[in-house]
Amino acid sequence: MIDMQTLGRLLAHERGKAVVTIARKRVTVMPDAIILSTVALSGEESTVHAVAIGRNDERPRVLSVPDPRNREDMFGTLVMLGGYLEERYRECMTNDGPPFPQVWVPSSSVADNIEAVSERLRFSDKPEDRRAGNILAYLVTQKEVPGQQSLMVSTRVLSDHFATGQSPMEDEHLGALLAWVDPPEGIPAIEAAREAEKIPLGASTLPEFDKNVLAPLVDRFNQLGKENPPDEEGRRQLAAAIHREVGNVVVRSYEATRRAYRIMKALSIPDLPDLTNLMGIESMSFQNFMHKIDENIDIRVKDSPRSAVFGLAMRESASSQYTAALRIGDEMARSEAKIAGKVLEGILLGVESGKTLGSPRLVFEIESRQECLRFRKGDSLECVSGPEISGTVLSVRRSGVSTVVTAELVSPRPPLLSLEKGICLEFVPDKPDWGWGERTRDMIARRLASPPWTHAKGGQPPKSRANDRGDLPADPLHAVESMRAPK
Amino acid sequence: MNRTEKIALAFRGKYKEVSVGARGIERMARNPECRRLFALTIAGISSRLAAEVAYRETIPEEQSPFAIRTGVQFETRLFGTKGEEIIRLYLEAGRLQPGEGSVAGVKDSLPWRCEKNDPGRVEESLVFLGKKIDGDPAAPSLILQPRIPISIGGIPRVIEPDALFASPRDRFYRPVEIKSYSDREGKTSSSDLRNACRQTAVTVIALRQFVYARGVDPELIEASGDLILRKAGYFSARLRPMTLKSEVATIQRLLDSVPGRLEETKEVLSRVGARTLDTKKALDALHTNYVDGCKDHCALAIHCREEARACHDPALLGSKIREVLLAAGNLERVLQLLRGTGDPPKNEAEMSLAHQLQNAYAAYREVSGFHD
């Protein structure tokens, strides 16, 4: 099937410039957003050699360590990073602050690097290290939640809104992606991207840079430290040189991230209608998180079975609601879903009233000319093209080149009864239910108030009810065989 | 020397042979449709060397000295304790009982790497393997850096797995690969794991070939192996048993295809008047299969991408999109089908594709107001 991403890439390839593939902006671009970029030591993904951080309208503050293999030094820098972020988080807890922090990073590799160091910090036995790890943990747990608005991975955000004429893997290089989205004057995007990808903008440095520049400095730094007495002045100078070199690398990716932020800020497309709901959910998640921070509760690296259940349920809820929100709120997403048969569009053939088991019911029929339709008996229908009508599919049958979907009205009656035959209606399988997550959490909490036997120590499966009634046959096979009709 | 081996040797031309080993075979398996990579690997030529000699390209460094040192340090820690650290992992995992765990293949003096190509190491390794298959209780539990032969479609080569392990209760050895990737359990890089598993699968095949030559059913050797990974941020190790059924099947299929493919390659080269792979003409004649993952492992990736651009290969937009657009063959044709220009659709597949493209485009224009 040709989806909008495939079509978009084709058009971008043809035009030599990225094309927009959405009708509604899927992220809120916060004016107080923070830009954050990191660089790890090659081969050590759970280290940070340098960090650049700052508000989107200011030059970055750059932190670095001469050798991140020195755990104490590196953790010290990460504690400073954690402290800076915590100050920003606290601003969000004030009345006139933003509802939650928003942090922009260049690409998935930097997001993964932050996740790896956050985990490592949280295993430390020092409380200040764990606190820094916990502060970073908010971003990394949010990163996997569909529709989240806190951690903006620039390559993903831009790819969600634009299609380029290159492969998704190449889009992971922020410089190459920006070359398509915002090509330099007079240079084809494809050539600009080719040049841009020679300069890394992720969490790693080029092997040649490491070999010719960084490794000699770091090695010399370590060598001077082993001398007796250590050459402290020499080490200071080398530390400054390392800071300059890795600082240049990380500031480059910081500036590229800032550019991505500005592009998204300037993108003049209306917001997804449910963006306010997504922000509301985000704010609640953030408040819950800060409550744990204030209570000095460590954010565990590995979920317990109980927290995994909650986490999974919330993640599934977020995914369902976000998909539903896109389908309803973004005309491009709905169009794509229509082609895929996940949105029903057709004309109203008629409405019939009847009774089922004494209860009145209304049945309506929709005739669709869609080539592909993925609705079947039992599916829900929610009207999005006008009146608020909800129904349940009773049957789907082909009728020549059309498909007729018969559905029973769930609610409410008057809008359906007032519709004229022949009117064109559009239905989606579900609408976002922003309270579903909370209700599910409450239900799980009630069910798990006593641990299920599968997770209880020495747990035994519950007794069979049949045994309690004492009517289990002694020979079940004979009992079943004896039910056969005599030949 | 059999015919397949002669062809492979002839391809080498003025290249010096590089032992591509299990890692080279694994990389070839990442893109089995690429004839260029296939021919170079089988002939024992690295893609980097081919880029430098045939295309006169300067290929930048592939690995950072920091990453190399981490790998070496990790391996040294594991091998340098005469394998004790590895034995400890197996004891902790309950796969060895206390008192078990003899180690072989260790050289007392460094640098043992200088003895890498010593044919004696192959003989020594085969002696240990032979003891185990014969049920000799003196067979070691752990063999460090054995060198074992493997037949690549009839071409004899030698691979050097990091280790082989078998408890006294196991019928035969299983491969052990040591990787300095960080072990983050479920968050360990899936592509790193996949590549490591494929590399380990090559050793499974070599072991199966060994037992088969001894008249034993090769299926006796399970398609499984052990990875030893590094705890994130430390040099302590973690043992991860892995099942390798699909990886072994993939590699086996690839190796079985070698003789036929080599003949085809020879035929293709002869059509352009080439006999060796050390010229641009020869490499250009070989079909490539550029995919976006090529950059991870092949020095010719940038070159092949330029070729893909020149012939408007849909792979430029990603492997998934290439699958969707397969009916059209190239991007120029795809755009013709989209616009309804050029020749009418030649077959049902093109008709279906044209229809889908035009439908999607109409929907896109309706919503976005996009104008050409």
Side-chain angles (χ1 to χ4, degrees):
Chain A
M1 196 201 74
I2 304 293
D3 57 19
M4 292 304 168
Q5 257 298 310
T6 303
L7 180 73
R9 285 187 191 274
L10 271 170
L11 295 174
H13 170 82
E14 190 186 36
R15 282 179 82 199
K17 193 181 164 165
V19 299
V20 173
T21 51
I22 42 86
R24 300 287 179 139
K25 222 190 241 188
R26 296 175 182 191
V27 302
T28 183
V29 182
M30 312 267 283
D32 325 77
I34 298 156
I35 313 287
L36 168 64
S37 187
T38 62
V39 160
L41 188 74
S42 294
E44 297 274 6
E45 68 221 21
S46 55
T47 61
V48 159
H49 210 158
V51 172
I53 188 162
R55 290 190 199 275
N56 64 82
D57 54 357
E58 63 187 28
R59 284 191 60 78
R61 186 173 167 195
V62 180
L63 308 170
S64 74
V65 290
D67 187 349
R69 289 169 297 192
N70 183 318
R71 189 173 170 278
E72 290 296 318
D73 279 354
M74 189 185 70
F75 274 29
T77 299
L78 290 171
V79 166
M80 282 199 286
L81 171 65
Y84 177 92
L85 277 172
E86 188 170 351
E87 280 175 21
R88 304 288 80 74
Y89 288 10
R90 295 272 165 220
E91 286 168 9
C92 301
M93 304 294 285
T94 61
N95 285 337
D96 47 4
F100 53 84
Q102 188 177 75
V103 177
W104 287 68
V105 297
S107 62
S108 303
S109 70
V110 172
D112 290 345
N113 178 223
I114 294 170
E115 181 170 22
V117 296
S118 164
E119 280 176 15
R120 206 172 150 195
L121 282 164
R122 284 181 276 158
F123 279 121
S124 171
D125 45 19
K126 285 189 185 167
E128 61 270 25
D129 294 344
R130 289 200 304 277
R131 193 176 184 90
N134 290 335
I135 292 293
L136 290 171
Y138 175 68
L139 300 176
V140 298
T141 34
Q142 287 306 95
K143 117 176 133 79
E144 303 300 344
V145 178
Q148 61 88 20
Q149 303 289 312
S150 278
L151 182 68
M152 299 284 111
V153 179
S154 303
T155 47
R156 266 196 234 166
V157 172
L158 288 175
S159 297
D160 281 347
H161 293 76
F162 296 91
T164 66
Q166 59 185 10
S167 71
M169 197 180 271
E170 286 164 326
D171 282 349
E172 266 301 310
H173 187 291
L174 182 56
L177 179 51
L178 286 170
W180 278 92
V181 172
D182 184 25
E185 198 70 44
I187 302 176
I190 204 169
E191 281 177 28
R194 202 186 292 146
E195 282 307 303
E197 70 185 16
K198 291 176 184 169
I199 302 167
L201 288 179
S204 42
T205 44
L206 280 176
E208 281 199 340
F209 171 79
D210 285 352
K211 183 183 172 189
N212 298 329
V213 178
L214 202 53
L217 289 171
V218 171
D219 289 346
R220 185 77 188 125
F221 174 85
N222 288 329
Q223 228 169 358
L224 293 183
K226 286 179 187 157
E227 285 176 2
N228 194 7
D231 179 356
E232 292 301 343
E233 179 52 33
R235 278 163 63 86
R236 251 191 303 276
Q237 288 177 11
L238 283 164
I242 293 168
H243 179 85
R244 248 187 337 267
E245 294 296 343
V246 290
N248 285 342
V249 173
V250 81
V251 166
R252 226 175 11 231
S253 56
Y254 178 96
E255 292 299 337
T257 312
R258 209 148 64 136
R259 202 173 142 209
Y261 168 87
R262 284 177 185 153
I263 287 170
M264 285 308 301
K265 195 169 179 194
L267 188 61
S268 55
I269 283 176
D271 286 347
L272 192 70
D274 275 309
L275 211 45
T276 38
N277 286 312
L278 289 169
M279 289 171 66
I281 302 263
E282 192 70 50
S283 178
M284 256 172 36
S285 297
F286 177 66
Q287 300 293 330
N288 288 338
F289 167 78
M290 286 307 288
H291 171 74
K292 286 182 184 163
I293 294 291
D294 288 338
E295 298 289 312
N296 287 318
I297 297 172
D298 282 334
I299 314 293
R300 292 171 65 151
V301 174
K302 282 192 224 181
D303 286 324
S304 62
R306 187 185 162 90
S307 53
V309 166
F310 281 104
L312 191 59
M314 294 305 107
R315 194 76 60 88
E316 284 181 354
S317 169
S319 178
S320 304
Q321 309 325 324
Y322 185 58
T323 305
L326 288 181
R327 217 156 27 206
I328 285 187
D330 183 336
E331 292 85 345
M332 193 71 77
R334 191 152 78 241
S335 217
E336 184 177 82
K338 215 181 297 181
I339 294 173
K342 294 177 183 172
V343 166
L344 167 65
E345 183 185 46
I347 56 168
L348 180 66
L349 286 181
V351 180
E352 266 183 30
S353 53
K355 281 192 178 180
T356 303
L357 300 175
S359 299
R361 71 174 198 173
L362 279 182
V363 171
F364 60 97
E365 284 192 332
I366 303 289
E367 183 186 23
S368 171
R369 290 288 185 112
Q370 285 170 258
E371 289 173 10
C372 175
L373 211 48
R374 294 181 193 273
F375 285 87
R376 54 188 179 180
K377 185 178 174 183
D379 284 347
S380 302
L381 293 176
E382 301 282 348
C383 186
V384 292
S385 55
E388 278 204 28
I389 300 170
S390 300
T392 304
V393 175
L394 293 176
S395 69
V396 178
R397 69 176 195 281
R398 295 286 297 180
S399 174
V401 299
S402 308
T403 306
V404 176
V405 176
T406 308
E408 179 174 358
L409 181 73
V410 170
S411 66
R413 292 172 65 90
L416 183 61
L417 291 172
S418 65
L419 294 178
E420 287 183 9
K421 279 187 201 178
I423 187 172
C424 186
L425 296 172
E426 234 178 295
F427 293 89
V428 293
D430 49 18
K431 280 185 176 172
D433 176 357
W434 300 107
W436 194 82
E438 275 302 300
R439 295 196 303 274
T440 305
R441 201 201 308 265
D442 290 343
M443 183 198 72
I444 293 173
R446 275 197 307 276
R447 292 269 177 94
L448 295 184
S450 39
W453 70 269
T454 47
H455 288 78
K457 270 188 182 170
Q460 293 291 324
K463 282 183 187 173
S464 157
R465 281 190 205 162
N467 280 339
D468 287 346
R469 289 199 306 267
D471 54 5
L472 192 68
D475 185 351
L477 180 59
H478 175 76
V480 168
E481 290 291 324
S482 64
M483 288 180 200
R484 289 183 193 275
K487 287 182 188 171
Chain B
M1 203 181 278
N2 59 45
R3 181 178 164 78
T4 309
E5 204 180 343
K6 281 181 189 163
I7 296 173
L9 183 62
F11 281 172
R12 213 175 291 153
K14 59 181 182 254
Y15 290 119
K16 205 172 128 178
E17 187 193 358
V18 169
S19 169
V20 288
R23 200 184 297 243
I25 297 169
E26 180 274 308
R27 285 176 177 176
M28 187 172 66
R30 292 190 209 181
N31 191 357
E33 295 307 312
C34 181
R35 296 303 175 105
R36 194 175 286 171
L37 181 63
F38 164 80
L40 289 169
T41 306
I42 299 302
I45 304 163
S46 72
S47 60
R48 184 190 180 94
L49 195 57
E52 287 170 352
V53 170
Y55 292 116
R56 302 190 196 285
E57 288 171 4
T58 314
I59 305 299
E61 288 290 337
E62 288 175 346
Q63 253 202 314
S64 162
F66 293 121
I68 293 170
R69 273 181 227 168
T70 300
V72 168
Q73 249 182 295
F74 185 53
E75 278 193 7
T76 303
R77 186 192 151 98
L78 289 170
F79 290 137
T81 53
K82 300 186 184 182
E84 278 170 16
E85 182 65 18
I86 302 178
I87 293 290
R88 186 189 62 76
L89 289 171
Y90 281 103
L91 282 166
E92 271 176 12
R95 291 165 66 183
L96 282 176
Q97 304 300 323
E100 291 176 348
S102 55
V103 181
V106 180
K107 299 295 178 184
D108 289 330
S109 57
L110 287 174
W112 29 255
R113 286 181 187 278
C114 286
E115 298 175 37
K116 196 174 173 102
N117 294 324
D118 180 352
R121 286 193 71 108
V122 174
E123 286 166 18
E124 187 184 349
S125 305
L126 290 176
V127 164
F128 293 134
L129 297 187
K131 280 185 175 169
K132 188 63 180 175
I133 201 68
D134 291 339
D136 186 340
S141 293
L142 185 68
I143 308 172
L144 299 179
Q145 292 181 307
R147 285 178 63 75
I148 52 179
I150 184 170
S151 168
I152 300 176
I155 303 172
R157 291 277 183 265
V158 173
I159 60 171
E160 185 173 317
D162 289 321
L164 297 174
F165 170 79
S167 78
R169 289 161 294 289
D170 295 326
R171 182 70 181 90
F172 200 62
Y173 293 101
R174 60 196 270 134
V176 181
E177 280 299 324
I178 296 168
K179 295 291 175 195
S180 58
Y181 313 142
S182 290
D183 179 12
R184 293 174 57 211
E185 301 196 24
K187 291 180 184 170
T188 306
S189 161
S190 53
S191 59
D192 284 347
L193 274 180
R194 205 166 38 242
N195 298 340
C197 284
R198 262 199 296 258
Q199 188 179 338
T200 313
V202 177
T203 307
V204 170
I205 289 172
L207 293 176
R208 283 183 171 180
Q209 287 176 357
F210 170 82
V211 304
Y212 179 72
R214 296 284 291 253
V216 175
D217 181 6
E219 293 300 315
L220 175 80
I221 313 302
E222 266 186 29
S224 59
D226 295 327
L227 294 185
I228 296 181
L229 304 179
R230 191 169 64 95
K231 187 178 170 189
Y234 298 92
F235 282 100
S236 49
R238 283 190 178 148
L239 180 64
R240 297 283 179 210
M242 308 294 282
T243 50
L244 305 170
K245 282 186 181 163
S246 63
E247 290 84 356
V248 168
T250 300
I251 302 284
Q252 187 64 66
R253 208 164 36 240
L254 185 63
L255 297 188
D256 289 344
S257 72
V258 164
R261 282 193 182 197
L262 268 186
E263 293 283 356
E264 285 167 13
T265 304
K266 185 166 179 264
E267 172 66 22
V268 166
L269 290 181
S270 68
R271 273 189 238 135
V272 297
R275 274 191 286 188
T276 60
L277 296 174
D278 50 12
T279 62
K280 184 176 177 304
K281 179 173 72 169
L283 288 184
D284 282 350
L286 296 176
H287 167 76
T288 63
N289 185 50
Y290 174 73
V291 293
D292 40 19
C294 286
K295 278 197 326 195
D296 288 344
H297 65 93
C298 183
L300 293 168
I302 301 296
H303 182 88
C304 295
R305 187 176 64 177
E306 291 309 309
E307 285 185 3
R309 276 187 185 145
C311 59
H312 309 283
D313 188 340
L316 293 171
L317 305 185
S319 307
K320 283 187 184 162
I321 293 182
R322 187 173 71 163
E323 293 296 315
V324 170
L325 303 178
L326 213 53
N330 65 59
L331 288 173
E332 275 189 336
R333 182 61 181 154
V334 173
L335 289 167
Q336 283 177 352
L337 293 175
L338 169 68
R339 303 255 174 243
T341 57
D343 292 338
K346 296 183 184 107
N347 50 44
E348 253 187 63
E350 275 204 348
M351 261 186 338
S352 170
L353 180 59
H355 183 66
Q356 287 179 52
L357 284 166
Q358 287 163 18
N359 266 358
Y361 187 47
Y364 179 78
R365 285 181 70 169
E366 188 186 348
V367 174
S368 68
F370 183 83
H371 296 291
D372 294 313

